[in-house]
Amino acid sequence: MEGDRNHDLEQRERDLRQREVELKLREMEADLNPSNAPFHKTVKHPSEKFSQPWMKKAILGLQLFGIGVAVLVAARIAATVAGIVMFGALVWMAYKLFLESPKNKP
């Protein structure tokens, strides 16, 4: 009876040690292979800055308005510069044709 009890206790201790070893092996394997590890689903937190949708639309509208104004100003400046260049070219050609003395020509 005593021998059976000792044998039974030793058997339980061996089983317990084996389970502990298996558990440690599973933990080590999970550490080495993160794809098997449990994961937590991430949640996107709303941005505190510009949290209202109308605020985003207002900012986008203001940006579009600013770009439109910049394009109009650039077009006016380009038209003015082009007019000055054309006027200068006409004045230079008129000078060459009508005002330059024929004596200097070869």
Side-chain angles (χ1 to χ4, degrees), residues 16-105:
L16 184 60
R17 280 190 215 119
Q18 186 176 0
R19 286 182 196 159
E20 287 175 352
V21 168
E22 288 174 358
L23 181 62
K24 285 183 182 181
L25 284 174
R26 273 189 244 127
E27 288 176 355
M28 288 171 54
E29 185 177 325
D31 288 342
L32 292 176
N33 191 1
S35 64
N36 292 338
F39 63 94
H40 300 283
K41 187 174 182 179
T42 58
V43 177
K44 184 176 182 181
H45 295 286
S47 174
E48 293 175 13
K49 187 178 182 184
F50 311 124
S51 59
Q52 294 92 1
W54 64 268
M55 183 84 98
K56 291 179 184 177
K57 289 182 181 179
I59 290 173
L60 187 63
L62 288 173
Q63 287 177 341
L64 182 62
F65 178 74
I67 290 171
V69 168
V71 166
L72 287 176
V73 168
R76 291 294 298 222
I77 291 172
T80 304
V81 169
I84 291 170
V85 168
M86 287 189 289
F87 181 74
L90 283 175
V91 169
W92 180 76
M93 289 178 75
Y95 171 76
K96 284 290 192 182
L97 287 175
F98 301 114
L99 299 176
E100 198 172 61
S101 64
K103 294 178 186 177
N104 294 340
K105 293 182 182 178

